Amino acid sequence: MEYRIEHDSMGEMKVPADRYWGAQTQRSYQNFKIGTEKMPAEIIRAFAILKKSAAVANNRLGRLDDKRKDIICQVCDEILAGKLDGNFPLALWQTGSGTQSNMNMNEVIANRSNEIAGEKIFHPNDTVNMSQSSNDTFPTALHIASTLIIDDYLIPQIDHTIAALKKLEKENEGIIKSGRTHLQDAVPIAFSQEISGWRGMLEKSKQQLQAALPFTEELALGGTAVGTGLNAPKSFGEEAAKVVASLTGKPFVSEDNKFHALTSKDAVVFAHGALKALAANCMKIANDVRWLACGPRCGLGEITIPANEPGSSIMPGKVNPTQCEAMTMVAVQVMGNDAAIGFAASQGNFELNVFMPVIAHNFMQSARLLADALRSFTDNCLIGIKANKEKMDYNVHNSLMLVTALNPYIGYENAAKASNKAFRENISLKEACVSLGFLTPEQFDEYVRPEKMV
């Protein structure tokens, strides 16, 4: 491999000749050989948006000339287009402020900009990092990335699943089945009503995620090192936020209290709480589906799900609810990520939180996994659910909890006697009620009508 010599304030470093990063990136690359996790791609893209916005803001405020501004914007666009992939190699497990990834971005932009300009007129710190600090850029990148992955990636997938559930509801109108509480038989419910509960969960999750966005749309940029804004023009944060909003189409604003913006991560804790709530709902829906499909002969068997692949290496013909299992594993991961984010956010000391890379990693993973799992679950399982009408009808008409409809006519205690007698003697509710003298056969048929109980 060929190398070139780069330098920083600590001296010279050998850097791969075919890469644009500089000495500080190389030091981090060599000093933090920890794990396989790299800085999330969403954070890299958010940094490119941020650096472009900072260049435009500095230009508008008279600090950066048109030529340098235009070239920085060009390089940022190259990063966003994926043309400079491979230039951001740093481990997630680095400085907790994300300084090294901020400098990685600064060095790549500066070196590529000098290449375009044909002269060395860009400096990573003085030009690309102008009016900024790692301490306000990383929180800003975190908020940009969090907002975009929720609004542009996750919520559209939630909408896709909601649409599939609405279709499933319509297809199953009029089908009555036994409800279940505590995993025990309960009063009847329409299958479409049960599906509507799943839909309602996702609709509420969407609303909760949207409620979190105004907080992640507040940006720390302009606070520089400790929130005072040292070395930045007074209006830099507001001007840069306007550019971020223009570039992304999202209502980003500059946070009023930069001291809060640098040290507190409560916005991402709150937003990830909505991700955890979505994960809990996804866990519930996936579990309902695999319970209702369990069998096919020795379980509930009230629905069938698509047979996507063989389920066993030893039992021929076995098919498993694999999409449900993938969804529940994702839910578990998201819940674990939430614990990590909560712990990390609680560790802000004085003017800075230094757990930001791990917060970023867990947040992006949660949103990405939930979106991908919802798409997979919807397209490979949910849309192929079919009701086993015969099994549902059998179960609902043999449920002892139909006796609940008799409470107004024979009273709770007599209804309980009838239910207990039917269970002990393995006879029908109708036979029990008639033999106890509570009702005539005709009265029972009039009062106990499952389709009227939903």
Side-chain angles (χ1 to χ4, degrees):
M1 179 181 290
E2 295 185 0
Y3 294 90
R4 71 178 190 277
I5 300 298
E6 288 275 350
H7 78 276
D8 59 12
S9 60
M10 296 183 71
E12 294 184 342
M13 292 290 294
K14 290 172 60 178
V15 175
D18 62 345
R19 294 292 183 262
Y20 287 108
W21 69 70
Q24 290 199 47
T25 302
Q26 189 66 31
R27 291 185 195 280
S28 179
Y29 185 69
Q30 293 176 189
N31 291 339
F32 293 92
K33 296 185 182 298
I34 304 173
T36 59
E37 297 84 2
K38 304 298 181 184
M39 192 59 64
E42 294 87 357
I43 295 293
I44 301 301
R45 290 194 292 272
F47 259 113
I49 293 169
L50 181 164
K51 295 297 178 181
K52 181 176 182 178
S53 300
V56 173
N58 278 316
N59 175 259
R60 290 177 180 175
L61 295 171
R63 298 202 71 194
L64 189 67
D65 61 78
D66 289 346
K67 179 179 179 179
R68 287 177 175 84
K69 181 264 292 183
D70 289 343
I71 293 177
I72 288 175
C73 289
Q74 178 183 337
V75 176
C76 290
D77 287 340
E78 290 179 357
I79 294 169
L80 292 169
K83 294 180 180 178
L84 299 182
D85 288 353
N87 281 282
F88 305 98
L90 297 188
L92 179 79
W93 315 105
Q94 53 166 277
T95 173
S97 63
T99 298
Q100 292 149 12
S101 282
N102 180 45
M103 286 307 304
N104 181 192
M105 180 65 61
N106 290 334
E107 290 176 338
V108 168
I109 293 174
N111 285 332
R112 173 61 179 142
S113 294
N114 285 328
E115 183 180 67
I116 292 171
E119 55 182 326
K120 292 198 71 171
I121 58 173
F122 294 86
H123 187 278
N125 301 81
D126 297 335
T127 316
V128 185
N129 204 56
M130 181 184 291
S131 306
Q132 305 154 61
S133 162
S134 298
N135 296 352
D136 66 351
T137 58
F138 201 98
T140 297
L142 175 60
H143 276 211
I144 293 172
S146 299
T147 301
L148 295 182
I149 199 169
I150 287 174
D151 208 26
D152 291 346
Y153 193 64
L154 178 56
I155 286 179
Q157 186 50 59
I158 294 174
D159 287 337
H160 175 60
T161 305
I162 289 171
L165 287 168
K166 286 180 178 178
K167 184 172 184 290
L168 203 61
E169 278 180 72
K170 189 171 182 62
E171 291 171 353
N172 288 281
E173 286 178 354
I175 300 174
I176 310 301
K177 63 183 291 293
S178 179
R180 294 179 177 87
T181 58
H182 304 268
L183 294 181
Q184 305 294 303
D185 301 341
V187 294
I189 186 173
F191 187 35
S192 59
Q193 291 173 326
E194 191 167 46
I195 297 168
S196 78
W198 302 341
R199 170 178 53 80
M201 287 179 173
L202 296 184
E203 289 172 340
K204 292 296 183 183
S205 288
K206 176 182 175 180
Q207 292 171 17
Q208 290 156 5
L209 286 163
Q210 290 172 325
L213 291 178
F215 299 102
T216 62
E217 288 163 352
E218 294 181 331
L219 303 182
L221 205 59
T224 65
V226 296
T228 61
L230 180 67
N231 291 346
K234 186 176 180 180
S235 59
F236 174 76
E238 288 74 17
E239 197 64 43
K242 291 176 184 176
V243 183
V244 174
S246 176
L247 292 176
T248 61
K250 312 298 179 188
F252 286 106
V253 296
S254 180
E255 179 165 346
D256 291 337
N257 189 327
K258 297 298 191 297
F259 306 103
H260 165 264
L262 267 59
T263 195
S264 175
K265 301 299 127 213
D266 53 7
V268 287
V269 172
F270 185 73
H272 198 275
L275 292 176
K276 181 174 72 171
L278 172 60
N281 283 339
C282 288
M283 173 79 83
K284 194 270 183 192
I285 294 168
N287 277 334
D288 279 0
V289 169
R290 63 175 170 180
W291 272 108
L292 291 172
C294 72
R297 293 189 175 179
C298 300
L300 295 179
E302 290 191 345
I303 64 172
T304 58
I305 56 178
N308 294 323
E309 62 273 320
S312 173
S313 61
I314 188 174
M315 293 174 279
K318 193 172 192 294
V319 176
N320 294 331
T322 51
Q323 291 294 325
C324 300
E325 291 165 6
M327 176 64 83
T328 55
M329 285 193 289
V330 164
V332 167
Q333 183 65 54
V334 172
M335 292 173 191
N337 287 350
D338 190 74
I341 287 174
F343 285 130
S346 73
Q347 297 303 303
N349 299 127
F350 303 116
E351 279 64 61
L352 189 66
N353 178 288
V354 291
F355 286 74
M356 287 188 286
V358 73
I359 291 173
H361 168 72
N362 282 281
F363 194 102
M364 300 308 142
Q365 185 189 60
S366 291
R368 196 184 316 115
L369 285 177
L370 284 168
D372 293 348
L374 275 168
R375 181 176 60 252
S376 181
F377 179 69
T378 301
D379 294 347
N380 297 308
C381 179
L382 208 57
I383 62 174
I385 287 176
K386 301 296 181 186
N388 185 339
K389 298 178 185 178
E390 294 76 16
K391 189 66 178 288
M392 287 182 175
D393 187 70
Y394 173 82
N395 286 341
V396 76
H397 282 93
N398 281 275
S399 171
L400 297 177
M401 289 304 100
L402 292 177
V403 76
T404 306
L406 298 177
N407 287 354
Y409 304 103
I410 64 176
Y412 182 94
E413 292 192 12
N414 284 340
K417 289 177 183 177
S419 176
N420 290 333
K421 180 179 177 65
F423 179 70
R424 286 194 311 270
E425 299 178 15
N426 197 27
I427 60 176
S428 69
L429 276 175
K430 182 176 182 179
E431 291 170 323
C433 285
V434 172
S435 66
L436 288 169
F438 295 152
L439 296 168
T440 65
E442 292 76 19
Q443 287 175 317
F444 184 92
D445 290 340
E446 180 183 352
Y447 301 150
V448 180
R449 299 176 63 185
E451 69 277 8
K452 297 294 185 181
M453 298 170 69
V454 299

